[in-house]
Amino acid sequence: MELDPLVLSRIQFAFVVSFHAIFPVFTIGLASYIALLHGLFFKTKNPAWDRLSLFWTKVFAVVFGMGVVSGIVMSFQFGTNWSNFSLAASNFLGPVLSYEVVTAFFLEAAFLGVLLFGRGKVPQGVHLFAAIMVAVGTFISSFWILSANSWMHTPAGVELIDNRFHVTSWLQAIFNPSFPYRFAHMAMASFLTGGFVVAGVSAWFLLRGRDLEANRRALSMCLWLLLFLAPAQAVVGDFHGLNTLEHQPTKVAAMEGHWETSSNVPLLLFAIPDQEAQANHFELGIPNLASIILTHSPEGEIPGITEVAPDEQPPVFIVFWAFRVMVGIGLLMIATALIGLLMRSKGRVYQHSAYLKALVFMIPMPFVAVLAGWIVTEAGRAPWLVYGIMTHSEGLTPSLTGPMALFTLVGYVLVYAVVFYAGIYYLTRVVRNGMLPEEEREATSENFKRPMRPFSAAHTPFDEDVDPARS
């Protein structure tokens, strides 16, 4: 069996990007939360805010380090696996990715040092300023990265001359048609991810009666955030979908499992897309709803996948189901936030063990949703590397062989497995140690000896081999 370097290179880049993406999407939201905690402590002098900021800064440091380690190699792959694309797009991507390093990464790295090691050594105002700068740096970084990625989906401000893209308008290229929607969607996903992780960890602490004041404050803040942000994300996602329908109609058709151009299109809840047959099996849908959502009219016409040749169609089965995973988790997030409001109105949000366990269960859900959304976005663009202009095969390194691509793919998987294991190990230690000073942890260790039921909803990796004296 011959190894296809194109397939292996796509798998390799998808693996690296997917592994890396879960860290920035968390740190962007968490950095803003940490800055808010520092601001609240600076204003009120309440030690609960200080304990929370110290604890979540430790978490941020570990996740930020994992993101840096996993992200560095992405740029290498542009040269090793996609050299034709790198040469063609260098006039735009080269400066943009450099701006990300100069304006964002340096800013984050410099002030992160002050944030981590300046506590008690610099004035509180300076420490607060460092926290704000780290948060700003994460947004600047996402700005440039998403601008570059959005340009690949909706190329603008360039012209192709002799197989090289030449920038004709930096403003149009940077603020390309899909960038505002993609940036807003990703920013809100980052806040949702941070919010659900903080809420879940706070719930885990409350289930064990640990630092009740601080964790009630943290949980309350997050539930208010999620109550407004989860529904707002659905609205932003709708605008993003309408923009995608305008510029990448085939992707939207794949998301909907819609093969033939027609009106009165149903919203399919379940189907098995068959690319070879260019049809679906076992369809179950709501009549006219897809037309209503995408065109705001039940008679609205939606282009079908068959509008383009089979070799220009994305992998429909993957796009179709990844989209439903993303939307399903989004609806679960909204339901969780609304139930939280109901629990709050009854004064039971901090004592209702079933709801607290549900929040613990929700910790990984935003990451799954982000990965599903990323799959929809990138797989839905296939076979285009630069949409409508350059295909994946045209951007591949000509000298790359199948064995070479397989060797590096296996290497990345092994190295990233070590990084992930080490990162999760240290994260669980940070969480299990909690946010109380060591002497307070020792004095109250008797409160944390209650055994956990195996496989209960609140049982997480944090519970493994807990040393009560360090709880």
Side-chain angles (χ1 to χ4, degrees), residues 102-169:
V102 173
T103 64
F105 186 76
F106 287 169
L107 182 69
E108 291 175 280
F111 283 100
L112 181 61
V114 179
L115 180 63
L116 292 178
F117 306 112
R119 181 180 295 268
K121 299 176 183 178
V122 299
Q124 285 188 14
V126 175
H127 206 229
L128 170 61
F129 181 74
I132 295 173
M133 287 299 99
V134 171
V136 170
T138 61
F139 272 99
I140 296 175
S141 177
S142 63
F143 174 91
W144 292 115
I145 296 299
L146 287 172
S147 174
N149 179 262
S150 298
W151 176 83
M152 295 168 66
H153 288 267
T154 51
V158 297
E159 58 181 356
L160 188 64
I161 303 176
D162 297 329
N163 293 322
R164 297 193 67 173
F165 292 97
H166 294 265
V167 179
T168 58
S169 170

Side-chain angles (χ1 to χ4, degrees), residues 2-81:
E2 185 178 354
L3 297 173
D4 188 343
L6 175 60
V7 173
L8 291 171
S9 293
R10 292 185 63 190
I11 293 173
Q12 176 179 301
F13 199 83
F15 170 75
V16 172
V17 171
S18 298
F19 185 92
H20 171 70
I22 62 177
F23 302 116
V25 77
F26 180 35
T27 56
I28 291 171
L30 187 59
S32 296
Y33 178 63
I34 291 171
L36 176 61
L37 292 174
H38 277 79
L40 290 170
F41 177 63
F42 182 79
K43 181 179 180 180
T44 66
K45 308 303 180 186
N46 188 322
W49 300 125
D50 188 44
R51 294 198 301 274
L52 284 168
S53 66
L54 175 60
F55 172 76
W56 286 108
T57 299
K58 292 177 183 178
V59 174
F60 177 87
V62 177
V63 178
F64 183 84
M66 295 173 70
V68 171
V69 171
S70 62
I72 287 177
V73 298
M74 283 197 303
S75 58
F76 297 161
Q77 292 178 87
F78 286 124
T80 57
N81 296 63

Side-chain angles (χ1 to χ4, degrees), residues 205-232:
F205 282 132
L206 290 176
L207 284 167
R208 284 146 189 81
R210 300 175 58 176
D211 202 342
L212 298 182
E213 180 193 2
N215 285 296
R216 284 181 176 182
R217 289 173 180 268
L219 180 57
S220 178
M221 292 171 63
C222 289
L223 290 181
W224 282 122
L225 172 73
L226 300 176
L227 181 62
F228 291 98
L229 207 59

